């Protein structure tokens, strides 16, 4: 059997790299730039393009010819990547695998060089030839691998000072071809300190008052320097009087002359000295240092006399004096003089009225006005005034510090006495406490402790360290026995003269725990009483007696005012509207007897003599017009020479003219002791029957007859 030999057919895309020129306008028919070729191509096959610009910029016909349909710009896109496919037009199947190819856009010189916006260049003055000034950056959009993108440089002006390394155009090796561009660059020449400072004139004159303070600016020594201010650095030197005057740079680099110490017209009236200016520059060439440059100037200072205040011999005086009584009150003296040529006399004073020192107005001697006590105040600071003895004379002041020295004038005092106590459980020989001493004086010696009176229970031991221990001689103390234990301790301070004091120490008896911790201490009942306590008690007793007397007098006065008067007298009474009164039985507060008779006794008149009230009269049968009654009373008051006029009229027991019953006031109601006849109530009808029974004399008979 004959076998079939399978042979592999070669499949291959055949093409070269395709090229197209940029900036070429489309042609008609379109320009062919390449051809697709494949071994599987048949009449029923077609080529298909895909990728960059496929079927738009680039198309392929049935024969595989590739044409360009648009103008290309290499600076926008220099290479196009495409893919080729071979497809059967009937079944749409690929006859071979897809393959890729590129179309390269060929560059032409269609772009000019472009300068970058660089910073301005700069170079310092006096720089050497060949020094780099700046770098100019230029770009060209054309292909940098060809002459189209190569750039050269050329200076169009300023070639006498500067140079550049190439011409400013592209295609530098092609004569007459290429594009060019121009740009303006700025080169700044920076300043350096290559010029010295010089004075603007050879002499400077200033006037200075003699009372000018140190640091006072006298004037300015102007200098000239061609350099910019940041490169100026002059230094100034004063020859002679450098201890009086000072000179330094100002912000403008001029020389500022100032005062170091105060001037004195009476000592020296004028100063003359020279000032040099120097500057260390970068350049030491002779052209900036000539003989005519003013590097030295003379300065003249004229001192102006002013009226100066007195000057003390010292700005601060220090004195000391012992406290206590003084034999010589003078503690020292101050002195001042007028520095002016007039040399006025000086008078002294101390303006502080509380100062314990006085000053002699002419001599300046300081003396004490009172005795000083160091323990109250150990030092004094005050001000002494010196003024010229002329009208409106100038003044000056000096401080005086006075220190009060200590003398041994205070006796020592006992301390720590409250910590001394006896425990019931203490045995003989127990130290029950340690006392110390205090002295207000500056005592550097040692205190000595002794018992002023011997004690049968306690002993005292001087510890030789300004303390003393108290020791128990015998035990057996108890808080049940109210016996007070007292020690009298004498303390000497060892000063000169020596001061002693006797101090009373009260020793308590206490119930204690272990380690002598106190639980309870007995409070002693002392039989004595201080004078201040007695005075306080007496004052309290006197105060209580005064209060009791005032209360008794007040009550007696009230009883005298409220005593009953005879029924024929009517007294003036003060009736308050908010006073409740004592009711019907209160005959002391109100005398109502006159009211009881006002209704029946029309002829009632006060007794002979002046009366306090106008007699109250009521219309007969308690009937009538109130207005008529008031007019009658007014007329009586107007014609009564003995009566006292009143602003108000009070009618008690009168209810008014509208009631047929008349007055029903309780003031006239009395079942007993009344001289009024209430029989008329039976005539008022059944409404007043009950009232008639209560007050009528024959009420019972009348009632029974009904």
């Amino acid at each position: 059997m004959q076998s079939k030999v399978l042979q592999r057919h070669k499949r291959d895309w055949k093409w070269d790299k395709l090229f197209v020129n940029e900036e070429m306008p489309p042609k008609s028919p379109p320009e062919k730039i390449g051809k697709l070729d494949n071994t599987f191509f048949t009449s029923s096959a077609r080529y298909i393009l895909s990728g960059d610009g496929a079927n738009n910029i680039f198309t392929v016909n049935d024969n595989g010819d590739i044409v360009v349909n648009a103008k290309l710009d290499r600076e926008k896109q220099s290479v196009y990547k495409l893919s080729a496919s071979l497809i059967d037009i009937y079944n749409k199947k690929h006859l071979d695998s897809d393959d890729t190819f590129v179309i390269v856009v060929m560059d032409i010189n269609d772009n000019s060089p472009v300068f970058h916006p660089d910073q301005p260049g700069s170079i310092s003055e006096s720089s050497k030839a060949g020094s780099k000034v700046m770098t100019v950056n230029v770009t060209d959009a054309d292909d940098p691998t060809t002459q189209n993108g190569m750039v050269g440089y050329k200076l169009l002006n300023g070639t006498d000072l500067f140079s550049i390394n190439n011409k400013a155009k592209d295609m530098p090796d092609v004569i007459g071809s290429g594009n060019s561009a121009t740009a303006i660059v700025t080169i700044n020449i920076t300043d350096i300190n290559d010029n010295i400072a010089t004075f603007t004139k050879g002499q400077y004159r200033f006037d200075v008052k003699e009372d000018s303070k140190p640091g006072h600016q006298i004037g300015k020594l102007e200098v000239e320097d061609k350099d910019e201010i940041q490169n100026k650095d002059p230094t100034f030197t004063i020859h002679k009087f450098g201890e009086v005057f000072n000179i330094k740079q100002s912000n403008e680099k001029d020389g500022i002359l100032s005062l170091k110490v105060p001037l004195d017209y009476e000592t020296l009236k004028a100063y003359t000295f020279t000032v040099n200016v120097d500057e260390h520059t970068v350049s030491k060439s002779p052209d900036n240092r000539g003989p005519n440059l003013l590097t030295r100037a003379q300065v003249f200072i004229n001192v102006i006399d002013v009226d100066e205040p007195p000057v003390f011999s010292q700005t601060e005086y220090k004195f000391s004096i012992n406290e206590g009584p003084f034999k010589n009150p003078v503690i020292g003296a101050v002195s001042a003089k007028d520095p002016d040529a007039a040399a006025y006399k000086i008078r002294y004073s101390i303006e502080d009225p509380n100062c314990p020192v006085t000053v002699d107005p002419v001599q300046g001697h300081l003396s004490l006005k009172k005795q000083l006590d160091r323990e109250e105040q150990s030092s004094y600071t005050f001000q002494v005034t010196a003024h010229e003895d002329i009208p409106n004379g100038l003044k000056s002041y000096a401080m005086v510090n006075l220190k009060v020295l200590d003398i041994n004038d205070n006796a020592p005092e006992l301390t720590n006495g409250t910590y001394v106590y006896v425990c019931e459980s203490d045995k003989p020989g127990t130290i029950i406490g340690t006392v110390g001493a205090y002295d207000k004086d500056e005592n550097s010696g040692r205190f000595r402790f002794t018992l002023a009176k011997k004690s049968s229970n306690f002993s005292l031991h001087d510890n030789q360290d300004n303390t003393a221990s108290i020791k128990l001689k015998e035990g057996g103390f108890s808080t049940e026995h109210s016996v007070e234990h007292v020690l009298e301790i004498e303390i000497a301070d060892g000063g000169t003269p020596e001061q002693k004091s006797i101090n009373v120490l009260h020793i308590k008896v206490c119930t204690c725990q272990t380690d002598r911790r106190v639980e309870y201490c007995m409070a002693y009942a002392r039989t004595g009483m201080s004078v201040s306590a007695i005075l306080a008690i007496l004052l309290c007793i006197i105060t209580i007696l005064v209060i009791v007397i005032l209360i008794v007098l007040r009550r007696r006065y009230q009883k005298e005012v409220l005593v009953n008067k005879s029924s024929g007298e009517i007294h003036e009474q003060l009736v308050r509207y908010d006073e409740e009164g004592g009711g019907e039985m209160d005959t002391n507060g109100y005398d109502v007897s006159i009211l009881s008779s006002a209704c029946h006794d029309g002829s009632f008149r006060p007794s002979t003599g002046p009366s306090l009230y106008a007699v109250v009269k009521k219309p007969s049968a308690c009937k009538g017009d109130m207005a008529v009654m008031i007019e009658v009373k007014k007329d009586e008051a107007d014609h009564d020479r003995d009566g006292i006029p009143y602003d108000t009229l009070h009618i008690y027991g009168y209810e008014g003219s509208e009631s047929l019953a008349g007055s029903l006031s309780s003031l006239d109601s009395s079942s007993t002791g009344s001289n009024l006849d209430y029989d008329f109530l039976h005539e008022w009808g059944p409404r007043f029957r009950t009232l008639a029974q209560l007050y009528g004399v024959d009420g019972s008979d009348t009632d029974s007859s009904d």
Side-chain angles (χ1 to χ4, degrees), residues 168-468:
K169 59 178 288 186
D170 62 354
M171 302 181 68
D173 296 332
V174 180
I175 301 174
S177 301
N179 299 318
S180 64
T182 60
I184 298 175
V185 297
T186 302
I187 300 175
N188 296 320
I189 310 300
T190 58
D191 181 58
I192 62 173
N193 188 12
D194 58 346
N195 293 280
I196 65 171
T198 59
F199 289 111
T200 57
K201 54 185 178 181
Q203 292 182 348
Y204 296 88
R205 297 181 180 274
F206 304 101
D207 293 331
V208 183
K209 293 182 179 181
E210 65 170 329
D211 61 348
S212 299
K213 304 298 181 183
H216 169 71
Q217 292 188 359
I218 298 174
K220 178 166 52 176
L221 278 64
E222 296 179 349
V223 296
E224 186 177 39
D225 192 337
K226 296 180 180 179
D227 296 323
E228 294 182 354
I229 189 168
Q230 69 272 13
N231 294 317
K232 296 178 182 180
D233 190 22
T235 57
F236 301 91
T237 306
I238 296 178
H239 298 277
K240 195 179 180 181
F241 302 118
E243 72 282 358
V244 180
F245 304 99
N246 182 41
I247 189 169
K248 60 181 180 180
Q249 285 186 13
S250 67
N251 294 333
E252 295 79 18
K253 303 301 175 70
D254 294 317
I256 299 297
L257 188 65
S258 61
L259 196 61
K260 278 187 176 181
V261 296
L263 303 179
D264 186 6
Y265 174 83
E266 287 71 27
T267 302
L268 188 60
K269 298 178 176 58
Y271 295 85
T272 302
F273 53 90
T274 60
V275 178
N276 282 13
V277 61
D278 191 16
E279 188 171 8
H280 298 284
T281 61
V282 175
S283 174
K284 299 292 183 180
S285 58
D287 58 345
N288 67 355
R289 293 178 181 272
N292 296 326
L293 297 179
L294 296 176
T295 59
R296 174 177 291 188
Q298 271 196 328
V299 178
F300 299 93
I301 303 293
N302 182 36
V303 182
I304 299 176
D305 184 30
V306 296
D307 188 10
E308 298 175 276
V311 178
F312 279 94
S313 59
Q314 300 175 210
T315 56
E316 184 177 1
Y317 294 86
K318 295 182 179 180
F319 302 105
S320 61
I321 190 170
N322 290 329
E323 65 172 331
F326 49 85
K327 297 179 181 179
N328 183 9
V330 177
I331 61 176
V334 296
S335 177
K337 65 177 182 179
D338 185 5
D340 298 319
Y344 294 117
K345 292 182 179 180
I346 305 299
R347 295 189 67 84
Y348 305 94
S349 62
I350 297 176
E351 298 177 0
D352 184 5
N354 298 321
C355 180
V357 178
T358 184
V359 62
D360 184 276
V362 177
Q363 302 296 329
H365 294 159
L366 300 174
S367 57
L368 293 177
K369 295 192 296 185
K370 65 177 183 178
Q371 179 177 309
L372 303 182
D373 186 355
R374 189 201 65 86
E375 284 70 42
E376 291 183 0
Q377 188 169 344
S378 60
S379 64
Y380 296 87
T381 300
F382 53 92
Q383 190 172 256
V384 178
T385 304
H387 55 92
E388 297 173 340
D389 194 9
I390 58 172
N392 300 322
L394 299 179
K395 296 180 180 181
S396 61
Y397 307 91
M399 298 303 299
V400 178
N401 294 319
L402 176 61
K403 182 179 181 181
V404 183
L405 302 179
D406 183 53
I407 63 173
N408 194 28
D409 58 344
N410 290 279
E413 301 174 9
L414 186 70
T415 60
N416 298 332
T418 57
Y419 298 100
V420 180
Y421 57 90
V422 178
C423 292
E424 291 179 324
S425 58
D426 284 344
K427 304 299 182 183
T430 302
I431 296 177
I432 64 172
T434 301
V435 295
Y438 165 74
D439 194 338
K440 296 180 181 178
D441 297 320
E442 295 177 348
N443 191 350
S444 59
R446 184 182 64 82
F447 296 108
R448 299 194 309 274
F449 300 85
T450 58
L451 285 178
K453 291 182 180 180
K454 292 183 179 181
S455 173
S456 59
N457 297 320
F458 307 98
S459 63
L460 183 141
H461 175 71
D462 193 334
N463 297 325
Q464 306 295 320
D465 60 355
N466 291 335
T467 64

Side-chain angles (χ1 to χ4, degrees), residues 533-599:
I534 296 174
L535 292 177
I537 294 173
L538 291 176
L539 181 61
C540 292
I541 294 173
I542 293 173
T543 304
I544 293 172
L545 290 175
V546 171
I547 294 173
V548 171
I549 293 172
L550 291 176
I551 293 174
V552 172
L553 292 176
R554 183 175 182 274
R555 290 184 176 179
R556 183 177 178 183
Y557 173 75
Q558 290 177 345
K559 289 182 179 180
E560 291 179 354
V561 171
L562 299 178
V563 68
N564 291 330
K565 302 298 181 178
S566 62
S567 60
E569 296 181 357
I570 299 176
H571 295 275
E572 181 181 5
Q573 299 175 10
L574 180 61
V575 181
R576 295 180 56 184
Y577 288 101
D578 60 349
E579 185 172 351
E580 189 172 8
E584 296 180 359
M585 302 304 296
D586 186 4
T587 58
N588 293 328
Y590 302 92
D591 186 3
V592 297
S593 60
I594 186 62
L595 303 178
S596 300
S597 60
C599 181

